[in-house]
Amino acid sequence: MHLAPHSKLVMIGDSVTDCGRARPVGEGLFGAIGTGYVSYVDALLASAYPERAIRVVNMGTSGHTVLDLQARWQTDVMDLRPDWLAIMIGINDVWRQFDLPRQPECHVPLDTYAETLEALVVRTQPVVAGLVLMTPFFIEPNPADAMRARMDAYGAAVHAIAAQCGLPCVDTQAAFDAVLNHIPSAAIAWDRVHPNHLGHMVLARAFLQAVDFAWAAQPAAA
Amino acid sequence: MHLAPHSKLVMIGDSVTDCGRARPVGEGLFGAIGTGYVSYVDALLASAYPERAIRVVNMGTSGHTVLDLQARWQTDVMDLRPDWLAIMIGINDVWRQFDLPRQPECHVPLDTYAETLEALVVRTQPVVAGLVLMTPFFIEPNPADAMRARMDAYGAAVHAIAAQCGLPCVDTQAAFDAVLNHIPSAAIAWDRVHPNHLGHMVLARAFLQAVDFAWAAQPAAA
Amino acid sequence: MHLAPHSKLVMIGDSVTDCGRARPVGEGLFGAIGTGYVSYVDALLASAYPERAIRVVNMGTSGHTVLDLQARWQTDVMDLRPDWLAIMIGINDVWRQFDLPRQPECHVPLDTYAETLEALVVRTQPVVAGLVLMTPFFIEPNPADAMRARMDAYGAAVHAIAAQCGLPCVDTQAAFDAVLNHIPSAAIAWDRVHPNHLGHMVLARAFLQAVDFAWAAQPAAA
Amino acid sequence: MHLAPHSKLVMIGDSVTDCGRARPVGEGLFGAIGTGYVSYVDALLASAYPERAIRVVNMGTSGHTVLDLQARWQTDVMDLRPDWLAIMIGINDVWRQFDLPRQPECHVPLDTYAETLEALVVRTQPVVAGLVLMTPFFIEPNPADAMRARMDAYGAAVHAIAAQCGLPCVDTQAAFDAVLNHIPSAAIAWDRVHPNHLGHMVLARAFLQAVDFAWAAQPAAA
Amino acid sequence: MHLAPHSKLVMIGDSVTDCGRARPVGEGLFGAIGTGYVSYVDALLASAYPERAIRVVNMGTSGHTVLDLQARWQTDVMDLRPDWLAIMIGINDVWRQFDLPRQPECHVPLDTYAETLEALVVRTQPVVAGLVLMTPFFIEPNPADAMRARMDAYGAAVHAIAAQCGLPCVDTQAAFDAVLNHIPSAAIAWDRVHPNHLGHMVLARAFLQAVDFAWAAQPAAA
Amino acid sequence: MHLAPHSKLVMIGDSVTDCGRARPVGEGLFGAIGTGYVSYVDALLASAYPERAIRVVNMGTSGHTVLDLQARWQTDVMDLRPDWLAIMIGINDVWRQFDLPRQPECHVPLDTYAETLEALVVRTQPVVAGLVLMTPFFIEPNPADAMRARMDAYGAAVHAIAAQCGLPCVDTQAAFDAVLNHIPSAAIAWDRVHPNHLGHMVLARAFLQAVDFAWAAQPAAA
Amino acid sequence: MHLAPHSKLVMIGDSVTDCGRARPVGEGLFGAIGTGYVSYVDALLASAYPERAIRVVNMGTSGHTVLDLQARWQTDVMDLRPDWLAIMIGINDVWRQFDLPRQPECHVPLDTYAETLEALVVRTQPVVAGLVLMTPFFIEPNPADAMRARMDAYGAAVHAIAAQCGLPCVDTQAAFDAVLNHIPSAAIAWDRVHPNHLGHMVLARAFLQAVDFAWAAQPAAA
Amino acid sequence: MHLAPHSKLVMIGDSVTDCGRARPVGEGLFGAIGTGYVSYVDALLASAYPERAIRVVNMGTSGHTVLDLQARWQTDVMDLRPDWLAIMIGINDVWRQFDLPRQPECHVPLDTYAETLEALVVRTQPVVAGLVLMTPFFIEPNPADAMRARMDAYGAAVHAIAAQCGLPCVDTQAAFDAVLNHIPSAAIAWDRVHPNHLGHMVLARAFLQAVDFAWAAQPAAA
């Protein structure tokens, strides 16, 4: 498993990441980490590798686009001095184009998205031990669906940035697609965006696979 | 993995199982399954084996002892016609001896506990495909601690019943002990009973190991 | 316009109809009629044809299927002695097959749906002046989408019953499809089921067209 | 219909306009547009002319008089750069004279009202494609009623400004009067000011008639 | 002043009487008497005639018509064994004809009103020391207003019953009319029915005048 | 009656005056005047002398002593430009000596009280048409009670200031004493400070007597 | 100290006893014992004599008189099988005579009080090991105060019953009087009935003195 | 008893001290002192020594460590000019090492703790009449428990500072240990930190013993 003992992993994103995390920093007592995939990642790391004492910090904020992330990058990423960083952003960048089609000022076009995300990656890669990019997703099995197609384009941009920078890229859309072969999207999220526990576990598993998490790991002997 | 496609798994217990599940039956939309280990089991089964379409039903009730389970066994277990049943009970049977020491009418002595649990097992085993017993636990590393020692005795009774009936037994105490070698109990549960997400994942992992869950399983191709 | 002066129009259905109506009867002061298409129908009828003094009663109940309607038909339809009745049901009959795929007891299969709806129609047609059937809908433009296709099948059953009984049938799906040519479904309903004000007006317009509502009607001179 | 594709229509006024709109701008998801006539206008435009993609923005604020509008005109009208603007103000200017008769500092006299409104119109007309004035109203059929007579005087001032500036003027009082021939005012608003859904539809219809809305329009083919 | 020492005065009516009184009986500690004219009557009697120790009991219920009073007359009047009884009912009997004109089952026609009220009076007069009838009212100065005219007809019925039975009749409409010469109705009640403190004091003064309350009375020396 | 038409009467004091008045100024719609004696004074003036159109403004603040009044005198009295002013203060000045005996910094000694009150009177008398001083009170019949005796001393200071400045002084203690001959203090206020409706009417009557209110006055003919 | 190891002490009374205890029985986790003197008695017994493991059960109910106690005596005392019983009742029996003087049906006269209390004592004394009577009290230092005098008469009845039955009697009035020499009643209870923490400790100390509690006792060595 | 008449005793600490005290200063009406041991100390001092009129002020703040105390020492201790000061701090300094083991920035190491506490003592001792140090505690009987052992080390530091400065030191751990011989820790605090009423009385008794409180003291004759 790639994360070294005592690593600090910050996961940043939108409402799928947020899930009620504490402010200003999503780490600590009383469910500060929120109730979504970040808490599953933390719980799986801690229960399988308790001896590594990895810190997981949730910095997701509901409604955010890549532009919102850019605006809070210094305080919410750099100042926290993470060892590892995971970024999953883009759903709202796309969704606003479909749920607020008359309000273009709320849309983040693909080129803006890609440039901004790349700039954040370039700025951060030198100071972290690991950086994991996660594509945005839409829990819709039909690739010809207009919003799914648009989301796939944004996901492709994430893949491109990852490839260019030599970073691992978690294809969350592919992870959902595999499950959607057997489970209707409505059983994971009525709105195809905010997953229930099943969908959050899909995300957690996809991320952990990218860092070579050994599912069957058992706590080291004391 | 032992659970056949379309199996219905009922998990019954106390507040550790309950975690805010819906009434009268903890299955369905809107977080009906609660937020504890049962939801993790459901999410792990569904994300790794979506093609099996296993139903997971949470029938935990906060504060319950084995006597409370007995009182609602017909409606809450038998009438639901489970294929698989998991039982984790006994924490309150023991805890009341320590937090309400002056109120013996709230205590369930060991013999009563064992007899009642055995009767429930004997009554149910013939009508289910699988029955998994889970020991109660106390998130306290010191086996000489008075309440831990008492809980271990109740756990031993569970092991004995399982052995006698030829049933798998999940040693939740052992699962916690392995983690407690590296993580203080206070980081899992201030009261050593109601775990946070880390502790619930310990329970989910212990249960799934007992049914030969393959952690790295990926959804079957459609 | 087909509804005679002083007609009483009861509209029954599920959550799309309900929209917070009063209990036990959705008619009267303080928003008793709810905030959805039924209130729009009432407001359009009253503002364009105030001299007709048509009563509109909302008897929708969130979550209901045709079986739930059947169970409350005597009290919620027959006892109210409507002159006109509108029925829009079926969304939950289909939706549960997709959002609770593992719980077949929550599903209403197509034949059960059609038979039950037909029986209600047959029972009621003789005692009302007008009966309007409305298809269920799914605010999804892709007819090959699994749930859309299923919903279309249920809608076809409504058309068949209407044809057989010589009743008007409001094709709500067609009404939405016309709008979906220009507006993404996400701008009407994140979950493609519970519409915002735009979608409710689509429904109100579709219903009123079926009763020959003259949009430009002006109140008669006193 | 007068509003060109992609027009932005801002509707400003008092509590009759406000109806719970979002702050600071009444446009967007989650019912941001409020629940009154503005939402009906939006819904009717979108369902009949979805291909025009007209934006409707609610900038009403409860309790406001024309002086309050003046104070927030820059931020709440000019900065939004509307293509079309609708103004309905004056009810509170009059009402305070009757419900707080002892507090003259809360009253807006007729000349102040007319001058202020005219100044706002003059300031705005050059920068919008369309400007619609709507009279204030009092849902009281007796023109000799003291408050109705006063409101009529304020309405006459609106007509005069519209005539002078060559603007369309929606006579909301006349629209209500036509309905009041058949429906008692108590059935629309106990206080004769804040209408229920019937009254809001009267307002929406009156406004849309002024912009040549074709009630029977159907969405253009895609 | 007509009420003898230790008299028990029950005042029954609708929401104007109710004003948040306690259930089942509106007498006692913690504002049990409500906040309307009944509390003013109680306070004026107690502060001017404390030595008489008169009990005042509020039995108003919001929304009630004379038919509702009839239904609870045994428990809410007879069983309380009042010495004096005041009845003010009829506003809802009339109002529903205007605010729910399409729902005739909610209306109490004049003849039903008069017969029912008379029957209650005849039933009760023999067992009380004093019975005061109070007309219903509508805080509208125009006698030609449709609802005011209807209310006046109901008030005339009250006068007729009082005359026939030889009972005092409080003309609340006349009391309001005198004030409406100087204060707009909107300054007393936006809906012309539920008065603020000014209107409740008008009612209290009108009632007390009917029982020869001496306003300037001072507590007797001890 | 001393208050000329269109007079503005400000009543300032502590919680007995406050009674939930609006902020920052206790005048206007929606019960802004609070629910205590100030609202009774307003209601009695308006119902008996509606043609005078007297404004009554409640500026009481719970917990305040004369020092708190001094601190807000400019904004809460002078800036409001009252024609008449009534001051009832001192209960908290005394009470804190008894309910917080160990916290002398919360006490206002008699000399401080008298000097401060006198300074406020001297400052204000020149700019108002009428100024009414009201003594503080303690609803306790026993003049030898320690707190009653202390309160009487503060009341005597009010009398002295009134005499010196030639102002009317309302002896609220005497008004309560007259009633306490017949009604136990517990029936007016459990804490002997915060009166129920009976006690507030005692205060209203005492104040109105001081301004020659004619209880039996009837509204002037229009 | 008189209470033997493992004794069960039930304390019954009114709101002074109740203080938010749990229902139906005031014993157990989560503050079930309430926050008043009963909890202090429990805490002092447990901290000074932990080895005795005495159970303390709070059965007070707000507002109750001795007649209310009589009505629930079987379930709330006898069925609990106490070893020791403490009764403090009578405050409401007296208070209602003063705060609801016009409602004699709420009063419990002295003879009724004494007879009822005596009957309860006679019924219970044979089945308990210890029975402690506690007088009612009024936190008013003046014995000539009307309510204090009345309360003293009820307290004298308690003393008489205790003397007659050979039972210890806690003179709570005397305990308060000793403190009232130094602390004003307002610093203990604004209403002279519901004490703050100081007053509850006065009650706890008075009770414990009656059972020979040794304040300086230290837990026995294990 | 060491505290002289009219002494002001400030007790500062963490959540065990806080218990819902008022802000900014925990002294005064309406339970301002909180519901924990500080209120017991106040109640015992006032009921046994009412003639001393000792002020007790609660300045505990939940979650605080010695570093937090240092940050607010000027406003929360020095500015209050206490005669006596009690300090009980250190639980959070230790607890965070166990419940947030991955977040070292939340831990206060022993040397920092000791130095900071000593500095506060040195700063304050010259200006108070009495200063009482209280050790932190962990309600766990096993001295080998990791967190108990750590807490004991912090307690030893308190003892050392007290010895060095010649101050009394309350060994709260020893006080709990004596009780834990007979009562399980679960019956005092599920989390072994936040005690119920039993545990708070243990603390109050331990503190009062240190100031030679005479438990059986009776109020001085007036």
Side-chain angles (χ1 to χ4, degrees), chain B residues 75-119:
Chain B
T75 55
D76 283 13
V77 175
M78 305 306 279
D79 293 354
L80 298 177
R81 301 181 167 277
D83 300 299
W84 281 73
L85 176 69
I87 309 172
M88 181 170 71
I89 197 68
I91 294 180
N92 292 304
D93 308 62
V94 170
W95 207 3
R96 289 301 90 72
Q97 303 173 39
F98 291 84
D99 62 15
L100 293 178
R102 297 176 284 179
Q103 295 177 237
E105 70 276 21
C106 300
H107 309 165
V108 179
L110 178 54
D111 52 356
T112 304
Y113 172 79
E115 288 160 17
T116 309
L117 180 58
E118 184 182 351

Side-chain angles (χ1 to χ4, degrees), chain C residues 13-23 32-38 58-63:
Chain C
D14 50 34
S15 62
V16 178
T17 303
D18 187 330
C19 288
R21 68 151 173 114
R23 261 69 183 174
I33 204 167
T35 60
Y37 75 88
V38 183
N58 181 346
M59 295 304 289
T61 299
S62 292

Side-chain angles (χ1 to χ4, degrees), chain E residues 69-91:
Chain E
L69 259 55
Q70 186 184 43
R72 61 183 174 97
W73 201 256
Q74 183 61 41
T75 54
D76 282 11
V77 175
M78 305 307 278
D79 292 355
L80 298 178
R81 302 184 168 275
D83 300 299
W84 281 73
L85 177 69
I87 310 172
M88 183 170 70
I89 198 68
I91 292 180

Side-chain angles (χ1 to χ4, degrees), chain G residues 15-67:
Chain G
S15 62
V16 178
T17 303
D18 187 331
C19 289
R21 68 151 174 116
R23 261 73 183 169
V25 177
E27 183 187 23
L29 298 168
F30 314 130
I33 203 168
T35 59
Y37 74 90
V38 183
S39 74
Y40 293 3
V41 166
D42 187 39
L44 283 161
L45 286 172
S47 56
Y49 299 89
E51 70 280 6
R52 296 220 189 173
I54 294 164
R55 296 175 67 164
V56 183
V57 185
N58 181 347
M59 295 305 286
T61 299
S62 291
H64 273 199
T65 65
V66 75
L67 296 177

Side-chain angles (χ1 to χ4, degrees), chain C residues 112-129:
Chain C
T112 304
Y113 172 78
E115 290 159 14
T116 309
L117 182 57
E118 185 182 350
L120 295 177
V121 166
V122 168
R123 175 177 173 192
T124 315
Q125 197 173 4
V127 299
V128 294

Side-chain angles (χ1 to χ4, degrees), chain G residues 60-82:
Chain G
T61 299
S62 291
H64 273 199
T65 65
V66 75
L67 296 177
D68 298 306
L69 258 56
Q70 186 185 42
R72 61 183 174 96
W73 200 256
Q74 183 62 39
T75 55
D76 283 12
V77 175
M78 305 306 279
D79 292 354
L80 298 178
R81 301 183 168 275

Side-chain angles (χ1 to χ4, degrees), chain B residues 11-12 88 105 122 126 131 136 141-142 155 158 205:
Chain B
M11 308 191 86
I12 197 164
M88 181 170 71
E105 70 276 21
V122 167
L131 204 166
N142 175 20
V158 177
R205 284 168 46 95

